[in-house]
Amino acid sequence: MSAPPRKVLGRLSLPERTFVADALRTETVGGVLLLIAAVAALIWANVPALHSSYESVSHYHLGPAALGLDLSVEHWAADGLLAIFFFVAGIELKRELVAGDLKDPKAAALPVVAALCGMAVPALVYALTNLTGGGSLAGWAVPTATDIAFALAVLAVIGTWLPSALRAFLLTLAVVDDLFAILIIAVFFTADIDFAALGGAAAGLAVFWFLLRKGVRGWYVYVPLALVIWALMYNSGVHATIAGVAMGLMLRCSTREGEKQSPGEHIEHLVRPLSAGLAVPLFALFSAGVSVSGGALGDVFRQPETLGVVLGLVVGKALGIFGGTWLTARFTRASLSDDLAWADVFAVATLAGIGFTVSLLIGELAFDGDATLTDEVKAAVLLGSLIAATLATVLLKLRNAEYRRLYEAEERDEDHSGIPDVYEEDDPAYHLRMAAIHERKAAEHRRIAELKTAERLAEVAGGAGEEDDRRA
């Protein structure tokens, strides 16, 4: 007897569903703050009376020059604050590898292939656009990234009831996407390397790992060490955010006996609000301030570099992720969850075309030294993300009634156990509780029926007495 076909994007396990819900809640709040920061940056940079102050603050330098850290505020946001973002990304990746969807090779195949296709196709679209248009290939990596916080903020704003399986798919997709974005930054955007500083950073990471394995605790130990590692990594010529992800990957994300959560999950719970609520919005504030005049937006569709970014985010991401998901299901003989349609996967793939934070960072690295083209590429990232968000909104709204039905079915808890009923259907105790509830309801209905019957009999008897009196 052959095994039933495996379902893709099926219902999550209860622990995974709880973790995803908690993670997405913080990311959604952070995404709303990110939207606010992006709008504030655009206003600050485009209102004539405020523009000069935006430039002054962004380019104001501070930091110890003797340590090679005399950086502008914009630079501190990109290299310093984003290291916190990538630290959280490293923990997320480690957790996915040891306890999440990426632990099981069969389950991992879907988000990994979808993420790889979702990065390769946008890069290909960008390259083809620039080869035919005579543009620069330097920005091929700009449209490859997905901004999960921005995507979740869009979901929060439009009020869709996207099922947890699709939300988890989007989250896992973004984690894998972040990993490859980190590799792209490390491999393709590292120029001259200072091996002495790089060796110092490696030694610091070794000490960091040793202290973790020995069970040493205390933020006053790890925070100063992390700052030293970050500074050495920055001075080595390797992008400083790599230090963040390296430290995140070193944390233990598996629970031991007597632990409610692993150290990695505990630290992620503490640091994620700092990342989503402060680090990423401040980066957006000092990176999204580009000219958005009608002429500047029109130029986005005339230059091959900027057109390639827009097409990569809007067309490449949707086709890449959808195609990768469909091919994985096709060649592993898996079938889509009965509750979902392929149109739902395409809508989420379109939503993944929002490539804000990491795309802006890669745009700065790709066209470093050309301030004009850097700003134009940033404008293309903003416009491409806006178009992707609008298209996804339309597609998701078309199925929102069905999403709401699925969401309510997932949340139903008729036995008041604190666990949704769909997770207890195989538990005999659940059915005994439901039987008791229905018996109490049946008894109450029988009591009401007897009461109503007695009232009707009394009315009939009273009516007959009055009629006899009138005849007499």
Side-chain angles (χ1 to χ4, degrees):
M1 183 176 178
S2 60
R6 188 172 60 86
K7 297 288 185 181
V8 297
L9 301 180
R11 185 183 301 137
L12 303 177
S13 66
L14 185 59
E16 187 69 10
R17 179 180 178 274
T18 303
F19 173 81
V20 168
D22 291 341
L24 294 181
R25 194 176 297 114
T26 305
E27 290 286 3
T28 301
V29 174
V32 173
L33 293 175
L34 179 62
L35 282 172
I36 294 171
V39 171
L42 291 170
I43 294 172
W44 193 2
N46 285 275
V47 173
L50 302 175
H51 178 76
S52 60
S53 65
Y54 182 80
E55 291 292 320
S56 299
V57 173
S58 296
H59 297 128
Y60 180 78
H61 278 247
L62 68 159
L67 299 178
L69 297 175
D70 182 21
L71 310 177
S72 67
V73 170
E74 182 180 7
H75 209 158
W76 275 110
D79 287 89
L81 292 177
L82 277 195
I84 301 173
F85 167 79
F86 279 107
F87 174 70
V88 173
I91 301 175
E92 288 176 340
L93 177 61
K94 181 67 173 290
R95 187 201 163 275
E96 288 291 334
L97 289 170
V98 301
D101 286 343
L102 301 183
K103 181 181 180 181
D104 178 9
K106 289 183 179 179
L110 181 68
V112 170
V113 173
L116 283 173
C117 292
M119 299 183 83
V121 176
L124 182 61
V125 168
Y126 177 92
L128 290 175
T129 304
N130 281 270
L131 286 172
T132 56
S136 170
L137 293 177
W140 64 270
V142 175
T144 61
T146 292
D147 193 312
I148 182 64
F150 212 133
L152 292 172
V154 171
L155 290 178
V157 170
I158 66 176
T160 185
W161 302 83
L162 197 65
S164 59
L166 285 176
R167 289 177 182 264
F169 174 63
L170 185 62
L171 180 62
T172 307
L173 193 75
V175 170
V176 179
D177 192 291
D178 285 341
L179 168 64
F180 288 107
I182 290 160
L183 293 176
I184 287 172
I185 291 170
V187 174
F188 296 99
F189 297 103
T190 297
D192 298 328
I193 296 179
D194 183 330
F195 287 100
L198 185 60
L205 287 170
V207 173
F208 190 88
W209 178 86
F210 178 78
L211 293 175
L212 287 173
R213 291 301 169 272
K214 289 297 180 182
V216 176
R217 300 193 175 199
W219 64 268
Y220 46 84
V221 174
Y222 291 103
V223 172
L225 179 59
L227 291 174
V228 170
I229 294 170
W230 174 86
L232 288 167
M233 189 69 76
Y234 174 81
N235 281 287
S236 73
V238 177
H239 201 269
T241 53
I242 304 300
V245 74
M247 287 183 279
L249 285 169
M250 288 181 180
L251 294 175
R252 178 169 61 83
C253 291
S254 56
T255 54
R256 292 176 178 169
E257 189 176 351
E259 289 182 340
K260 290 186 177 180
Q261 59 179 184
S262 66
E265 290 172 318
H266 175 67
I267 292 172
E268 181 188 12
H269 181 73
L270 295 175
V271 179
R272 186 187 286 274
L274 178 63
S275 169
L278 180 67
V280 175
L282 280 177
F283 168 76
L285 183 64
F286 294 108
S287 292
V290 296
S291 174
V292 290
S293 64
L297 293 178
D299 289 341
V300 166
F301 296 100
R302 299 188 188 99
Q303 287 185 265
E305 293 88 354
T306 50
L307 179 60
V309 169
V310 173
L311 292 178
L313 289 172
V314 177
V315 179
K317 271 288 182 182
L319 293 180
I321 292 173
F322 179 81
T325 305
W326 186 86
L327 287 172
T328 303
R330 176 72 177 81
F331 287 104
T332 58
R333 296 182 179 179
S335 61
L336 191 66
S337 171
D338 296 334
D339 294 328
L340 300 175
W342 283 108
D344 302 319
V345 180
F346 186 79
V348 170
T350 304
L351 186 67
I354 299 173
F356 191 77
T357 305
V358 180
S359 288
L360 290 176
L361 175 62
I362 295 177
E364 292 179 355
L365 298 173
F367 298 103
D368 186 30
D370 189 339
T372 301
L373 189 53
T374 297
D375 281 350
E376 290 169 346
V377 167
K378 286 182 179 181
V381 169
L382 294 173
L383 188 59
S385 298
L386 179 61
I387 294 172
T390 303
L391 289 175
T393 297
V394 173
L395 294 173
L396 292 170
K397 278 296 186 181
L398 291 175
R399 291 266 293 166
N400 205 36
E402 179 65 14
Y403 294 156
R404 182 163 189 165
R405 183 189 69 78
L406 293 175
Y407 177 84
E408 289 173 348
E410 285 183 355
E411 294 294 316
R412 190 175 297 117
D413 182 19
E414 292 185 352
D415 65 335
H416 307 294
S417 66
I419 299 174
D421 295 341
V422 293
Y423 292 98
E424 297 186 300
E425 291 172 347
D426 294 329
D427 183 1
Y430 160 74
H431 292 284
L432 291 174
R433 287 195 298 271
M434 289 303 300
I437 290 171
H438 287 304
E439 286 166 3
R440 285 196 297 271
K441 288 182 177 179
E444 178 64 15
H445 283 296
R446 280 193 292 269
R447 187 188 67 79
I448 294 173
E450 291 171 358
L451 180 63
K452 296 298 181 183
T453 300
E455 289 177 354
R456 285 190 178 184
L457 290 173
E459 289 176 2
V460 170
E466 290 174 5
E467 186 175 340
D468 291 341
D469 290 342
R470 285 195 298 272
R471 286 177 181 175

